[in-house]
Amino acid sequence: MRTVTVNIRSLVVTVATAVAVLGAYAIGSAQTGTASADASAGAAPTGSASIQMTGTGESTGVPDRLEFSLDVQTRAGDVSTALRSADRATRHVLRAVRRQDIAPKDVQTTGLSINPTYDYSGDGPPVITGYAVTEAMSVLVRALPDAGATISAAVDAGGNAVRLHGVRLEIGDKGALLHRARAGAIDDARAKAQQYAAATGRTLGDVTSVREVHVNQSVPLAYPRATLDSAAPGSVPIRAGSADLTVTVSVVWSFA
């Protein structure tokens, strides 16, 4: 009777062990199937070969406006006197510029500085001898033919207190130039890509991405000419020259 009981218990343990093994196998099979599906989804699809090429396009225009910067600098023994002198000279410059039909929105104050001046000639530490005040402004002349007269008027009004710098020629509306340069850049990139595709026995398909890499505008600085043949009397002569605008793009094509 005791032997029968032992056999029944052994049978129960054997059955439980078999159930556990089958469950572990089923769980392992489910996990293996999930991993396989994830790996398949992440694999690169077939037929995805592509070619990436950069292209450059250029267009040329003529600057039609000018911007210049100037400083009004004065010195005096005390700050108040130096500041009043600078303000007086600046007002003279502003009135002269406005008489040249420059709109107030095109005249901008860009800086104000007050600094002590020193005498370093002695054997001891430097001694403050006064103060220097600098008021800076920028002026945009939208009609290039008026630029020379505007510069001359500003300098004459400020006299020896004026320091002129930062004369820059500009193109007011660069939209048309950009359009031509971008179209040329795309054509340049396509020509290169077609050449490489033909050399490898492939055919270009659809464009998958376009990225503008760089835009560069090369504008010559304005400078006085040696003669005053085409300038108004008493004005600074300006030669516009030409401006080159360059666009570089990166384009990716798939292969058909």
Side-chain angles (χ1 to χ4, degrees):
M1 188 69 181
R2 183 178 180 82
T3 301
V4 173
T5 301
V6 171
N7 290 339
I8 292 174
R9 289 178 178 177
S10 299
L11 180 61
V12 171
V13 171
T14 301
V15 171
T17 301
V19 170
V21 171
L22 289 173
Y25 178 79
I27 293 173
S29 298
Q31 291 176 343
T32 302
T34 302
S36 177
D38 290 344
S40 176
T46 59
S48 61
S50 61
I51 180 171
Q52 179 177 351
M53 194 61 58
T54 60
T56 301
E58 183 177 286
S59 59
T60 301
V62 177
D64 55 2
R65 67 185 192 180
L66 179 144
E67 184 176 11
F68 65 92
S69 301
L70 59 83
D71 297 340
V72 174
Q73 300 178 353
T74 59
R75 296 173 183 266
D78 59 90
V79 173
S80 297
T81 303
L83 188 57
R84 283 195 300 270
S85 298
D87 288 342
R88 187 183 310 111
T90 300
R91 285 194 295 271
H92 291 163
V93 171
L94 291 175
R95 282 196 294 269
V97 167
R98 288 168 185 162
R99 283 195 292 267
Q100 299 298 317
D101 294 328
I102 304 299
K105 66 177 181 179
D106 292 331
V107 181
Q108 181 180 8
T109 298
T110 58
L112 172 64
S113 65
I114 303 174
N115 298 295
T117 57
Y118 295 91
D119 179 9
Y120 295 91
S121 61
D123 295 332
V127 178
I128 295 178
T129 58
Y131 294 87
V133 174
T134 302
E135 295 191 28
M137 70 180 72
S138 64
V139 180
L140 175 62
V141 185
R142 296 183 181 272
L144 188 59
D146 300 334
T150 303
I151 293 175
S152 296
V155 172
D156 290 343
N160 293 334
V162 171
R163 304 291 183 270
L164 178 68
H165 60 90
V167 180
R168 297 172 295 278
L169 285 166
E170 299 179 357
I171 295 176
D173 183 9
K174 294 189 286 289
L177 290 180
L178 276 172
H179 181 80
R180 292 197 298 269
R182 284 167 175 159
I186 294 293
D187 291 342
D188 183 44
R190 181 183 293 108
K192 294 176 183 176
Q194 287 174 339
Q195 182 180 8
Y196 279 107
T200 55
R202 306 297 293 268
T203 302
L204 291 184
D206 296 329
V207 173
T208 59
S209 72
V210 178
R211 181 171 62 91
E212 191 168 89
V213 179
H214 183 64
V215 176
N216 179 59
Q217 180 180 343
S218 175
V219 180
L221 292 178
Y223 57 92
R225 285 164 53 185
T227 63
L228 301 178
D229 53 353
S230 62
S235 68
V236 176
I238 302 297
R239 183 169 61 189
S242 62
D244 297 326
L245 193 148
T246 304
V247 174
T248 301
V249 298
S250 175
V251 188
V252 178
W253 286 267
S254 63
F255 283 121

